[in-house]
Short mmCIF file of all heavy atoms in Angstrom, two decimals:
data_model
loop_
_atom_site.label_atom_id
_atom_site.label_comp_id
_atom_site.label_asym_id
_atom_site.label_seq_id
_atom_site.Cartn_x
_atom_site.Cartn_y
_atom_site.Cartn_z
N LYS A 214 75.19 58.63 115.47
CA LYS A 214 75.28 57.70 116.60
C LYS A 214 73.96 57.51 117.27
O LYS A 214 73.26 58.53 117.70
CB LYS A 214 76.36 58.22 117.59
CG LYS A 214 76.47 57.44 118.79
CD LYS A 214 77.62 57.98 119.66
CE LYS A 214 77.58 57.31 121.05
NZ LYS A 214 78.57 57.94 121.92
N PRO A 215 73.39 56.28 117.33
CA PRO A 215 72.07 56.10 118.05
C PRO A 215 72.16 56.56 119.52
O PRO A 215 73.10 56.33 120.23
CB PRO A 215 71.84 54.54 117.95
CG PRO A 215 72.80 54.18 116.79
CD PRO A 215 73.90 55.01 116.82
N VAL A 216 71.01 57.04 119.91
CA VAL A 216 70.85 57.53 121.34
C VAL A 216 69.64 56.80 121.95
O VAL A 216 68.63 56.66 121.34
CB VAL A 216 70.65 59.03 121.39
CG1 VAL A 216 70.44 59.45 122.81
CG2 VAL A 216 71.82 59.76 120.79
N GLY A 217 69.76 56.28 123.20
CA GLY A 217 68.68 55.65 123.85
C GLY A 217 67.58 56.62 124.26
O GLY A 217 67.90 57.77 124.54
N ILE A 218 66.35 56.18 124.20
CA ILE A 218 65.18 57.05 124.58
C ILE A 218 64.32 56.19 125.50
O ILE A 218 64.34 55.00 125.43
CB ILE A 218 64.41 57.47 123.41
CG1 ILE A 218 63.82 56.32 122.66
CG2 ILE A 218 65.18 58.41 122.53
CD1 ILE A 218 62.82 56.72 121.54
N ALA A 219 63.71 56.88 126.46
CA ALA A 219 62.83 56.25 127.39
C ALA A 219 61.43 56.27 126.77
O ALA A 219 60.88 57.33 126.30
CB ALA A 219 62.76 57.03 128.66
N LEU A 220 60.80 55.14 126.67
CA LEU A 220 59.43 54.96 126.17
C LEU A 220 58.53 54.43 127.27
O LEU A 220 58.94 53.53 128.00
CB LEU A 220 59.39 54.06 124.95
CG LEU A 220 59.88 54.50 123.62
CD1 LEU A 220 59.82 53.39 122.55
CD2 LEU A 220 59.17 55.74 123.17
N ALA A 221 57.29 54.81 127.25
CA ALA A 221 56.25 54.35 128.20
C ALA A 221 55.01 54.08 127.47
O ALA A 221 54.76 54.76 126.45
CB ALA A 221 56.13 55.26 129.43
N ILE A 222 54.29 53.14 127.97
CA ILE A 222 52.90 52.97 127.40
C ILE A 222 52.08 54.27 127.39
O ILE A 222 52.15 54.95 128.47
CB ILE A 222 52.14 51.76 128.15
CG1 ILE A 222 52.93 50.59 127.97
CG2 ILE A 222 50.71 51.66 127.71
CD1 ILE A 222 52.42 49.40 128.78
N GLY A 223 51.36 54.60 126.39
CA GLY A 223 50.73 55.75 126.23
C GLY A 223 51.41 56.92 125.54
O GLY A 223 50.92 58.05 125.24
N ASP A 224 52.85 56.82 125.47
CA ASP A 224 53.62 57.94 124.83
C ASP A 224 53.20 57.98 123.36
O ASP A 224 52.86 56.98 122.75
CB ASP A 224 55.15 57.53 124.85
CG ASP A 224 55.75 57.96 126.14
OD1 ASP A 224 55.12 58.50 127.08
OD2 ASP A 224 56.98 57.49 126.30
N ARG A 225 53.27 59.21 122.85
CA ARG A 225 53.00 59.51 121.51
C ARG A 225 54.32 59.76 120.78
O ARG A 225 55.19 60.42 121.32
CB ARG A 225 52.14 60.81 121.36
CG ARG A 225 51.76 61.17 119.91
CD ARG A 225 50.35 61.67 119.97
NE ARG A 225 50.05 62.16 118.67
CZ ARG A 225 49.47 61.34 117.62
NH1 ARG A 225 49.24 60.13 117.84
NH2 ARG A 225 49.12 61.87 116.48
N VAL A 226 54.52 59.02 119.65
CA VAL A 226 55.78 59.17 118.93
C VAL A 226 55.54 59.51 117.52
O VAL A 226 54.53 59.35 116.90
CB VAL A 226 56.58 57.77 119.00
CG1 VAL A 226 56.88 57.36 120.38
CG2 VAL A 226 55.77 56.70 118.34
N ARG A 227 56.55 60.07 116.93
CA ARG A 227 56.54 60.31 115.55
C ARG A 227 57.70 59.62 114.83
O ARG A 227 58.87 59.84 115.30
CB ARG A 227 56.61 61.90 115.15
CG ARG A 227 56.75 62.19 113.78
CD ARG A 227 56.71 63.60 113.36
NE ARG A 227 55.37 64.18 113.80
CZ ARG A 227 55.14 65.42 114.09
NH1 ARG A 227 56.07 66.28 113.96
NH2 ARG A 227 53.94 65.75 114.41
N PHE A 228 57.50 58.88 113.80
CA PHE A 228 58.48 58.22 113.08
C PHE A 228 59.20 59.19 112.21
O PHE A 228 58.61 59.99 111.49
CB PHE A 228 57.99 57.00 112.27
CG PHE A 228 57.47 55.87 113.13
CD1 PHE A 228 56.15 55.94 113.49
CD2 PHE A 228 58.27 54.79 113.42
CE1 PHE A 228 55.64 54.88 114.36
CE2 PHE A 228 57.86 53.85 114.33
CZ PHE A 228 56.49 53.87 114.71
N ARG A 229 60.64 59.11 112.21
CA ARG A 229 61.31 60.16 111.50
C ARG A 229 62.06 59.51 110.28
O ARG A 229 63.08 60.06 109.86
CB ARG A 229 62.34 60.80 112.49
CG ARG A 229 61.73 61.52 113.63
CD ARG A 229 60.71 62.54 113.16
NE ARG A 229 61.48 63.62 112.49
CZ ARG A 229 60.93 64.50 111.71
NH1 ARG A 229 59.63 64.37 111.39
NH2 ARG A 229 61.58 65.35 111.09
N GLU A 230 61.56 58.42 109.85
CA GLU A 230 62.12 57.80 108.62
C GLU A 230 61.10 56.87 107.91
O GLU A 230 60.17 56.46 108.59
CB GLU A 230 63.36 56.98 108.95
CG GLU A 230 63.06 55.82 109.84
CD GLU A 230 64.29 54.98 110.17
OE1 GLU A 230 65.01 54.63 109.25
OE2 GLU A 230 64.59 54.76 111.39
N ASN A 231 61.28 56.58 106.71
CA ASN A 231 60.34 55.65 106.05
C ASN A 231 60.76 54.22 106.38
O ASN A 231 61.92 53.92 106.48
CB ASN A 231 60.41 55.78 104.53
CG ASN A 231 59.91 57.05 104.04
OD1 ASN A 231 58.98 57.62 104.64
ND2 ASN A 231 60.52 57.74 103.10
N LEU A 232 59.71 53.44 106.73
CA LEU A 232 59.94 51.93 107.05
C LEU A 232 58.99 51.18 106.14
O LEU A 232 57.84 50.76 106.52
CB LEU A 232 59.66 51.68 108.51
CG LEU A 232 60.51 52.47 109.47
CD1 LEU A 232 59.94 52.33 110.89
CD2 LEU A 232 61.98 51.99 109.32
N PRO A 233 59.32 51.09 104.85
CA PRO A 233 58.40 50.48 103.88
C PRO A 233 57.87 49.08 104.22
O PRO A 233 56.73 48.83 103.88
CB PRO A 233 59.11 50.39 102.46
CG PRO A 233 60.48 50.98 102.82
CD PRO A 233 60.59 51.37 104.27
N ASP A 234 58.73 48.28 104.94
CA ASP A 234 58.17 46.90 105.26
C ASP A 234 57.08 46.93 106.29
O ASP A 234 56.22 46.05 106.28
CB ASP A 234 59.38 46.13 105.90
CG ASP A 234 60.46 45.77 104.92
OD1 ASP A 234 60.28 45.87 103.74
OD2 ASP A 234 61.51 45.42 105.37
N LEU A 235 56.98 48.04 107.00
CA LEU A 235 55.88 48.23 107.93
C LEU A 235 54.76 49.26 107.46
O LEU A 235 53.96 49.53 108.16
CB LEU A 235 56.50 48.76 109.38
CG LEU A 235 57.46 47.84 109.99
CD1 LEU A 235 58.04 48.43 111.19
CD2 LEU A 235 56.85 46.46 110.31
N LYS A 236 54.97 49.72 106.28
CA LYS A 236 54.05 50.71 105.69
C LYS A 236 54.00 51.99 106.50
O LYS A 236 52.96 52.54 106.76
CB LYS A 236 52.67 50.12 105.46
CG LYS A 236 52.69 48.92 104.51
CD LYS A 236 51.36 48.29 104.33
CE LYS A 236 51.49 47.07 103.35
NZ LYS A 236 50.26 46.37 103.24
N ILE A 237 55.16 52.36 107.09
CA ILE A 237 55.26 53.58 107.85
C ILE A 237 56.01 54.54 106.98
O ILE A 237 57.08 54.20 106.45
CB ILE A 237 55.96 53.32 109.15
CG1 ILE A 237 55.04 52.38 110.07
CG2 ILE A 237 56.32 54.63 109.89
CD1 ILE A 237 55.82 51.93 111.32
N ARG A 238 55.52 55.82 107.05
CA ARG A 238 56.27 56.91 106.35
C ARG A 238 56.74 57.88 107.33
O ARG A 238 56.19 58.04 108.42
CB ARG A 238 55.21 57.55 105.34
CG ARG A 238 54.88 56.59 104.25
CD ARG A 238 53.92 57.13 103.23
NE ARG A 238 53.90 58.54 102.94
CZ ARG A 238 53.05 59.17 102.25
NH1 ARG A 238 52.06 58.56 101.68
NH2 ARG A 238 53.27 60.49 101.94
N ASN A 239 57.80 58.57 106.88
CA ASN A 239 58.42 59.62 107.69
C ASN A 239 57.33 60.64 108.04
O ASN A 239 56.65 61.06 107.18
CB ASN A 239 59.49 60.32 106.88
CG ASN A 239 60.19 61.38 107.71
OD1 ASN A 239 59.95 61.64 108.91
ND2 ASN A 239 61.32 61.93 107.07
N GLY A 240 57.15 60.87 109.38
CA GLY A 240 56.10 61.77 109.87
C GLY A 240 54.89 61.08 110.45
O GLY A 240 54.04 61.75 111.05
N ASN A 241 54.67 59.73 110.21
CA ASN A 241 53.59 59.02 110.81
C ASN A 241 53.67 59.15 112.30
O ASN A 241 54.69 59.12 112.86
CB ASN A 241 53.54 57.67 110.39
CG ASN A 241 53.01 57.34 109.04
OD1 ASN A 241 53.45 56.46 108.21
ND2 ASN A 241 52.03 58.07 108.52
N CYS A 242 52.49 59.26 112.97
CA CYS A 242 52.42 59.25 114.41
C CYS A 242 51.81 58.03 115.00
O CYS A 242 50.98 57.42 114.24
CB CYS A 242 51.68 60.52 114.93
SG CYS A 242 52.54 62.10 114.42
N ALA A 243 52.14 57.77 116.22
CA ALA A 243 51.48 56.55 116.82
C ALA A 243 51.58 56.60 118.36
O ALA A 243 52.34 57.49 118.78
CB ALA A 243 52.30 55.36 116.43
N PHE A 244 50.78 55.80 119.01
CA PHE A 244 50.89 55.72 120.45
C PHE A 244 51.56 54.40 120.75
O PHE A 244 51.34 53.41 120.07
CB PHE A 244 49.46 55.70 121.10
CG PHE A 244 48.90 57.07 121.21
CD1 PHE A 244 47.90 57.40 120.25
CD2 PHE A 244 49.15 57.96 122.11
CE1 PHE A 244 47.31 58.63 120.25
CE2 PHE A 244 48.64 59.15 122.23
CZ PHE A 244 47.70 59.59 121.24
N VAL A 245 52.35 54.28 121.84
CA VAL A 245 52.87 53.10 122.40
C VAL A 245 51.80 52.37 123.12
O VAL A 245 51.20 52.97 124.09
CB VAL A 245 54.08 53.44 123.28
CG1 VAL A 245 54.71 52.12 123.90
CG2 VAL A 245 55.26 54.18 122.54
N ARG A 246 51.49 51.22 122.75
CA ARG A 246 50.37 50.47 123.31
C ARG A 246 50.83 49.30 124.19
O ARG A 246 50.17 49.01 125.16
CB ARG A 246 49.42 49.90 122.29
CG ARG A 246 48.71 50.97 121.54
CD ARG A 246 47.76 51.77 122.47
NE ARG A 246 47.00 52.71 121.79
CZ ARG A 246 46.67 53.88 122.27
NH1 ARG A 246 47.05 54.18 123.54
NH2 ARG A 246 46.01 54.70 121.64
N CYS A 247 52.08 48.85 124.04
CA CYS A 247 52.58 47.66 124.87
C CYS A 247 54.09 47.64 124.75
O CYS A 247 54.63 47.88 123.66
CB CYS A 247 51.93 46.35 124.24
SG CYS A 247 52.42 44.88 125.23
N ILE A 248 54.66 47.31 125.92
CA ILE A 248 56.18 47.07 125.91
C ILE A 248 56.32 45.92 126.88
O ILE A 248 55.89 45.89 128.03
CB ILE A 248 56.87 48.32 126.54
CG1 ILE A 248 56.62 49.59 125.77
CG2 ILE A 248 58.38 47.94 126.74
CD1 ILE A 248 57.16 50.83 126.44
N GLU A 249 57.01 44.86 126.31
CA GLU A 249 57.23 43.61 127.06
C GLU A 249 58.44 42.87 126.54
O GLU A 249 58.94 43.30 125.55
CB GLU A 249 55.94 42.71 127.04
CG GLU A 249 55.60 42.25 125.69
CD GLU A 249 54.16 41.60 125.62
OE1 GLU A 249 53.51 41.75 126.61
OE2 GLU A 249 54.00 40.89 124.68
N ARG A 250 58.87 41.82 127.31
CA ARG A 250 59.90 40.99 126.79
C ARG A 250 59.38 39.67 126.32
O ARG A 250 58.42 39.16 126.96
CB ARG A 250 60.95 40.77 127.98
CG ARG A 250 61.68 41.94 128.29
CD ARG A 250 63.00 41.59 129.02
NE ARG A 250 63.77 42.78 129.40
CZ ARG A 250 64.68 43.31 128.57
NH1 ARG A 250 65.08 42.69 127.48
NH2 ARG A 250 65.34 44.41 128.93
N ASN A 251 59.91 39.21 125.23
CA ASN A 251 59.46 37.94 124.76
C ASN A 251 60.19 36.80 125.40
O ASN A 251 61.14 37.01 126.21
CB ASN A 251 59.42 37.87 123.17
CG ASN A 251 60.80 38.03 122.55
OD1 ASN A 251 61.83 37.94 123.25
ND2 ASN A 251 60.86 38.40 121.26
N ASP A 252 60.08 35.57 124.82
CA ASP A 252 60.70 34.38 125.39
C ASP A 252 62.17 34.45 125.17
O ASP A 252 62.90 33.74 125.96
CB ASP A 252 60.18 33.12 124.77
CG ASP A 252 58.75 32.86 125.28
OD1 ASP A 252 58.36 33.34 126.26
OD2 ASP A 252 57.90 32.10 124.50
N SER A 253 62.67 35.11 124.13
CA SER A 253 64.11 35.23 123.96
C SER A 253 64.73 36.48 124.58
O SER A 253 65.87 36.77 124.28
CB SER A 253 64.41 35.18 122.38
OG SER A 253 63.84 36.29 121.83
N ASN A 254 63.93 37.03 125.39
CA ASN A 254 64.37 38.29 126.19
C ASN A 254 64.61 39.48 125.37
O ASN A 254 65.24 40.39 125.90
CB ASN A 254 65.62 37.94 127.03
CG ASN A 254 65.70 38.75 128.38
OD1 ASN A 254 64.70 39.10 128.98
ND2 ASN A 254 66.87 39.09 128.78
N SER A 255 64.02 39.60 124.22
CA SER A 255 64.02 40.72 123.39
C SER A 255 62.93 41.59 123.78
O SER A 255 61.90 41.18 124.23
CB SER A 255 63.93 40.36 121.89
OG SER A 255 64.92 39.67 121.51
N ILE A 256 63.07 42.93 123.66
CA ILE A 256 62.01 43.83 123.96
C ILE A 256 61.11 43.92 122.75
O ILE A 256 61.49 44.07 121.60
CB ILE A 256 62.61 45.27 124.29
CG1 ILE A 256 63.42 45.18 125.55
CG2 ILE A 256 61.47 46.26 124.46
CD1 ILE A 256 64.16 46.44 125.83
N VAL A 257 59.83 43.80 122.94
CA VAL A 257 58.77 43.76 121.97
C VAL A 257 57.86 45.09 122.33
O VAL A 257 57.44 45.34 123.40
CB VAL A 257 57.89 42.60 121.88
CG1 VAL A 257 56.68 42.77 120.90
CG2 VAL A 257 58.80 41.36 121.66
N ILE A 258 57.64 45.97 121.23
CA ILE A 258 56.85 47.15 121.43
C ILE A 258 55.71 47.07 120.40
O ILE A 258 55.91 46.74 119.30
CB ILE A 258 57.65 48.42 121.29
CG1 ILE A 258 58.74 48.39 122.27
CG2 ILE A 258 56.76 49.68 121.39
CD1 ILE A 258 59.72 49.62 122.21
N ALA A 259 54.56 47.43 120.83
CA ALA A 259 53.35 47.58 119.83
C ALA A 259 53.14 49.05 119.78
O ALA A 259 52.96 49.81 120.84
CB ALA A 259 52.17 46.91 120.50
N PHE A 260 52.96 49.52 118.60
CA PHE A 260 52.54 50.87 118.28
C PHE A 260 51.22 50.88 117.52
O PHE A 260 50.92 50.08 116.70
CB PHE A 260 53.51 51.59 117.31
CG PHE A 260 55.01 51.76 117.84
CD1 PHE A 260 56.01 50.83 117.55
CD2 PHE A 260 55.27 52.82 118.67
CE1 PHE A 260 57.22 50.99 118.04
CE2 PHE A 260 56.60 53.03 119.15
CZ PHE A 260 57.56 52.09 118.85
N GLU A 261 50.34 51.85 117.81
CA GLU A 261 49.15 52.00 117.20
C GLU A 261 49.18 53.35 116.46
O GLU A 261 49.31 54.40 116.98
CB GLU A 261 47.93 52.11 118.15
CG GLU A 261 46.59 52.18 117.38
CD GLU A 261 45.42 52.23 118.37
OE1 GLU A 261 45.50 51.98 119.54
OE2 GLU A 261 44.33 52.56 117.88
N LEU A 262 49.23 53.21 114.97
CA LEU A 262 49.22 54.36 114.15
C LEU A 262 47.96 55.10 114.27
O LEU A 262 46.87 54.59 114.60
CB LEU A 262 49.66 53.95 112.77
CG LEU A 262 51.02 53.26 112.59
CD1 LEU A 262 51.15 52.69 111.24
CD2 LEU A 262 52.14 54.31 112.87
N ASP A 263 48.02 56.31 113.85
CA ASP A 263 46.84 57.21 113.78
C ASP A 263 45.69 56.67 112.84
O ASP A 263 44.52 56.90 113.09
CB ASP A 263 47.12 58.68 113.33
CG ASP A 263 47.81 59.47 114.39
OD1 ASP A 263 47.96 58.97 115.56
OD2 ASP A 263 48.39 60.52 114.09
N ASP A 264 46.16 55.95 111.94
CA ASP A 264 45.09 55.18 111.00
C ASP A 264 44.47 53.95 111.55
O ASP A 264 43.68 53.29 111.01
CB ASP A 264 45.70 54.97 109.59
CG ASP A 264 46.74 53.80 109.63
OD1 ASP A 264 47.06 53.28 110.57
OD2 ASP A 264 47.26 53.64 108.49
N GLY A 265 44.88 53.59 112.84
CA GLY A 265 44.42 52.37 113.49
C GLY A 265 45.22 51.16 113.29
O GLY A 265 45.03 50.16 114.05
N GLN A 266 46.19 51.21 112.46
CA GLN A 266 47.02 49.96 112.19
C GLN A 266 47.91 49.82 113.45
O GLN A 266 48.51 50.64 114.05
CB GLN A 266 47.98 50.30 110.97
CG GLN A 266 48.85 49.25 110.67
CD GLN A 266 49.77 49.52 109.53
OE1 GLN A 266 49.81 50.72 108.94
NE2 GLN A 266 50.71 48.71 109.08
N LEU A 267 48.07 48.53 113.76
CA LEU A 267 48.82 48.11 114.98
C LEU A 267 50.08 47.46 114.42
O LEU A 267 50.03 46.45 113.73
CB LEU A 267 48.07 47.14 115.90
CG LEU A 267 48.66 46.69 117.22
CD1 LEU A 267 48.72 48.04 118.12
CD2 LEU A 267 47.84 45.69 117.94
N ILE A 268 51.21 47.99 114.84
CA ILE A 268 52.51 47.47 114.53
C ILE A 268 53.14 46.92 115.78
O ILE A 268 53.35 47.63 116.75
CB ILE A 268 53.41 48.56 113.88
CG1 ILE A 268 52.79 49.30 112.81
CG2 ILE A 268 54.88 48.05 113.60
CD1 ILE A 268 52.69 48.66 111.55
N GLU A 269 53.62 45.64 115.79
CA GLU A 269 54.30 45.00 116.87
C GLU A 269 55.40 44.20 116.40
O GLU A 269 55.29 43.48 115.44
CB GLU A 269 53.20 44.08 117.62
CG GLU A 269 53.76 43.44 118.79
CD GLU A 269 52.73 42.69 119.57
OE1 GLU A 269 51.47 43.03 119.47
OE2 GLU A 269 53.05 41.59 120.10
N GLY A 270 56.45 44.37 117.20
CA GLY A 270 57.61 43.52 116.84
C GLY A 270 58.72 43.75 117.86
O GLY A 270 58.70 44.60 118.65
N PRO A 271 59.86 43.05 117.63
CA PRO A 271 61.07 43.27 118.42
C PRO A 271 61.65 44.69 118.25
O PRO A 271 61.63 45.15 117.14
CB PRO A 271 62.09 42.27 118.02
CG PRO A 271 61.24 41.32 117.12
CD PRO A 271 60.07 41.99 116.65
N TRP A 272 62.04 45.26 119.28
CA TRP A 272 62.65 46.58 119.29
C TRP A 272 64.10 46.44 119.09
O TRP A 272 64.90 46.08 120.04
CB TRP A 272 62.31 47.39 120.43
CG TRP A 272 62.90 48.76 120.60
CD1 TRP A 272 63.99 49.14 121.37
CD2 TRP A 272 62.55 49.91 119.84
NE1 TRP A 272 64.23 50.46 121.13
CE2 TRP A 272 63.37 50.94 120.19
CE3 TRP A 272 61.53 50.08 118.87
CZ2 TRP A 272 63.30 52.19 119.73
CZ3 TRP A 272 61.42 51.42 118.39
CH2 TRP A 272 62.34 52.37 118.78
N GLU A 273 64.65 46.71 117.80
CA GLU A 273 66.02 46.63 117.59
C GLU A 273 66.76 47.91 117.91
O GLU A 273 67.99 47.94 117.99
CB GLU A 273 66.18 46.27 116.08
CG GLU A 273 65.47 45.01 115.64
CD GLU A 273 66.16 43.74 116.25
OE1 GLU A 273 67.45 43.77 116.54
OE2 GLU A 273 65.47 42.76 116.52
N GLY A 274 66.10 48.97 118.12
CA GLY A 274 66.65 50.26 118.23
C GLY A 274 67.01 50.72 116.85
O GLY A 274 66.82 50.01 115.89
N GLY A 275 67.65 51.93 116.87
CA GLY A 275 68.07 52.42 115.52
C GLY A 275 66.98 53.05 114.64
O GLY A 275 67.20 53.59 113.61
N ILE A 276 65.73 52.84 115.05
CA ILE A 276 64.64 53.50 114.28
C ILE A 276 64.59 54.93 114.88
O ILE A 276 64.55 55.19 115.99
CB ILE A 276 63.26 52.80 114.53
CG1 ILE A 276 63.34 51.40 114.01
CG2 ILE A 276 62.12 53.57 113.95
CD1 ILE A 276 62.10 50.54 114.28
N LYS A 277 64.44 55.91 113.88
CA LYS A 277 64.36 57.33 114.30
C LYS A 277 62.96 57.68 114.71
O LYS A 277 62.12 57.56 113.98
CB LYS A 277 64.81 58.10 113.14
CG LYS A 277 66.25 58.00 112.70
CD LYS A 277 66.57 58.72 111.40
CE LYS A 277 68.00 58.26 111.05
NZ LYS A 277 68.33 58.86 109.65
N LEU A 278 62.89 58.08 115.97
CA LEU A 278 61.48 58.44 116.65
C LEU A 278 61.73 59.73 117.35
O LEU A 278 62.78 60.07 117.91
CB LEU A 278 61.12 57.47 117.69
CG LEU A 278 60.79 56.01 117.25
CD1 LEU A 278 60.57 55.23 118.52
CD2 LEU A 278 59.56 56.04 116.38
N GLU A 279 60.73 60.58 117.43
CA GLU A 279 60.44 61.61 118.32
C GLU A 279 59.46 61.23 119.39
O GLU A 279 58.48 60.74 118.98
CB GLU A 279 59.97 62.89 117.62
CG GLU A 279 60.95 63.64 116.75
CD GLU A 279 60.33 64.73 116.10
OE1 GLU A 279 59.14 65.23 116.35
OE2 GLU A 279 60.91 65.36 115.26
N VAL A 280 59.71 61.46 120.60
CA VAL A 280 58.75 61.13 121.66
C VAL A 280 58.10 62.32 122.27
O VAL A 280 58.76 63.34 122.54
CB VAL A 280 59.48 60.34 122.83
CG1 VAL A 280 58.48 59.97 123.91
CG2 VAL A 280 60.17 59.07 122.30
N HIS A 281 56.79 62.20 122.33
CA HIS A 281 56.01 63.36 122.88
C HIS A 281 55.37 62.91 124.09
O HIS A 281 54.27 62.28 124.06
CB HIS A 281 55.03 63.98 121.88
CG HIS A 281 55.65 64.41 120.55
ND1 HIS A 281 56.24 65.64 120.47
CD2 HIS A 281 56.00 63.70 119.55
CE1 HIS A 281 56.73 65.77 119.22
NE2 HIS A 281 56.62 64.67 118.60
N HIS A 282 55.92 63.14 125.34
CA HIS A 282 55.33 62.52 126.59
C HIS A 282 54.09 63.37 127.01
O HIS A 282 53.91 64.53 126.74
CB HIS A 282 56.31 62.63 127.76
CG HIS A 282 57.49 61.82 127.48
ND1 HIS A 282 57.45 60.47 127.72
CD2 HIS A 282 58.78 62.01 126.98
CE1 HIS A 282 58.69 59.92 127.42
NE2 HIS A 282 59.44 60.93 127.06
#
């Protein structure tokens, strides 16, 4: 069952699953760089991976993350 988590800009996260469409592997780490709402009122989050790659898109939830505040 999915559980809500609180995220803030600057939080460090670890992805806990493979997301091949985004070229993210289980264990990749990233910083939260931006959190905002788009025109359709969806939450959009930008993550900066340790390799410098910036991933941005709608937050659907359901992605397995660990948050390190």
Side-chain angles (χ1 to χ4, degrees):
K214 175 178 167 182
V216 176
I218 59 171
L220 286 178
I222 295 171
D224 279 352
R225 183 142 173 87
V226 299
R227 175 176 294 160
F228 292 90
R229 301 303 296 158
E230 65 181 309
N231 293 321
L232 302 169
D234 293 345
L235 299 174
K236 299 181 182 172
I237 293 174
R238 292 175 38 183
N239 184 357
N241 282 143
C242 293
F244 285 99
V245 177
R246 293 297 181 212
C247 180
I248 302 172
E249 59 188 21
R250 289 200 180 267
N251 64 15
D252 293 337
S253 62
N254 209 32
S255 296
I256 296 172
V257 176
I258 301 178
F260 296 98
E261 182 181 350
L262 296 170
D263 285 349
D264 67 3
Q266 180 183 359
L267 190 64
I268 305 288
E269 181 177 329
W272 177 254
E273 302 291 330
I276 296 174
K277 297 175 187 170
L278 294 174
E279 286 179 9
V280 180
H281 304 273
H282 296 279

